[in-house]
Amino acid sequence: EVQLQASGGGLVQAGGSLRLSCVTSGFTFDDYAIGWFRQAPGKEREDVSCISASGLTSTYAGSVQGRFTISRDNAKKTVTLQMRFLKPEDTAVYYCGSPGRQLCRGEYDYWGLGTQVTVSS
């Protein structure tokens, strides 16, 4: 079965950094785009970032552009989201998922349990 497990969340002060990891199994990793979305209480779900199967194309929400970087390691079947200059408004549960195709889209067919990111002011 398809599994995607996010990890690496925690509590950090504004301006700090965190690195999230997504470990996958149950599918041919390098055939699928992998991305991150987040959900915070009182806010709509927000697509944060996505990287294509080839690794040649990455997308970012305007709210994180210039601060977050997504990357993938096909040998380890993992995707990383490096988050820098974190802001309180980044506080959310972060999930990794896949649209089930090679290119990034604004929807996900698969995702797993999220990891909590809390940024204090």
Side-chain angles (χ1 to χ4, degrees):
E1 66 203 61
V2 174
Q3 292 188 319
L4 303 98
Q5 180 61 58
S7 63
L11 175 64
V12 64
Q13 289 188 313
S17 300
L18 283 173
R19 183 171 61 193
L20 306 184
S21 295
C22 177
V23 179
T24 71
S25 63
F27 63 100
T28 304
F29 177 82
D30 57 4
D31 283 347
Y32 296 100
I34 305 292
W36 295 86
F37 63 91
R38 63 190 182 186
Q39 179 71 60
K43 297 182 179 180
E44 295 184 6
R45 196 195 84 170
E46 180 180 21
D47 293 324
V48 175
S49 184
C50 182
I51 186 167
S52 65
S54 68
L56 297 178
T57 303
S58 299
T59 64
Y60 298 93
S63 57
V64 307
Q65 180 71 43
R67 300 187 296 118
F68 292 10
T69 303
I70 191 169
S71 61
R72 65 188 295 151
D73 185 334
N74 287 354
K76 296 181 178 179
K77 298 182 179 181
T78 62
V79 170
T80 297
L81 185 69
Q82 179 67 58
M83 306 185 295
R84 297 183 175 89
F85 304 104
L86 284 161
K87 304 175 180 180
E89 47 263 52
D90 294 319
T91 296
V93 178
Y94 285 69
Y95 301 84
C96 64
S98 176
R101 56 171 290 175
Q102 296 186 39
L103 300 180
C104 293
R105 302 184 303 167
E107 63 182 68
Y108 293 96
D109 291 338
Y110 308 102
W111 64 87
L113 297 177
T115 185
Q116 176 71 49
V117 172
T118 303
V119 184
S120 62
S121 61

